[in-house]
Amino acid sequence: QVHLVESGGNLVHPGGSLELSCSASGDIFIIHTMAWYRHRPGEERELVARIGRGGTTGYAEFVKGRFTVSRDNNVNTMSLQMNDLKAEDTAVYYCNADVLRRGGARSTFWGQGTQVTVSS
């Protein structure tokens, strides 16, 4: 009973910016690593950025220098600031979270995704 909800996806022009948000709720004791993935048509879902509970970040090469991931552990949210967007960034972006629940179970959960379209 952990729910992740993404928001912020939109249609933007090349070179534009967008900020995505992920809100986690439900049976949560601690959220360990959170991550953003993208799924482009005809491609497999791939990692975009990850952030540990202490704030350590990692990025895919194709977004380094353009995207910034952050999180707020007090309200169980994660954000992805996306700058200098390119057509190839067009994808459904998914939130992922490694969650330790109150009962002691630890599982990974996915959000439903939010569409980002970069087009002129």
Side-chain angles (χ1 to χ4, degrees), residues 7-85:
S7 61
N10 213 331
L11 170 65
V12 296
H13 297 307
S17 297
L18 201 60
E19 185 175 20
L20 306 183
S21 296
C22 170
S23 180
S25 62
D27 183 17
I28 298 169
F29 182 63
I30 293 174
I31 301 180
H32 293 277
T33 300
M34 300 183 78
W36 287 100
Y37 286 75
R38 74 180 186 187
H39 188 196
R40 299 188 291 173
E43 305 286 338
E44 292 188 350
R45 189 179 303 193
E46 61 187 334
L47 180 68
V48 174
R50 65 168 76 240
I51 182 166
R53 56 176 151 173
T56 300
T57 59
Y59 299 92
E61 285 295 327
F62 53 82
V63 304
K64 283 184 177 178
R66 299 190 297 125
F67 292 7
T68 302
V69 63
S70 60
R71 65 189 285 174
D72 186 340
N73 294 334
N74 296 126
V75 293
N76 291 329
T77 59
M78 175 179 65
S79 297
L80 184 68
Q81 178 62 51
M82 311 165 73
N83 298 323
D84 190 25
L85 284 161

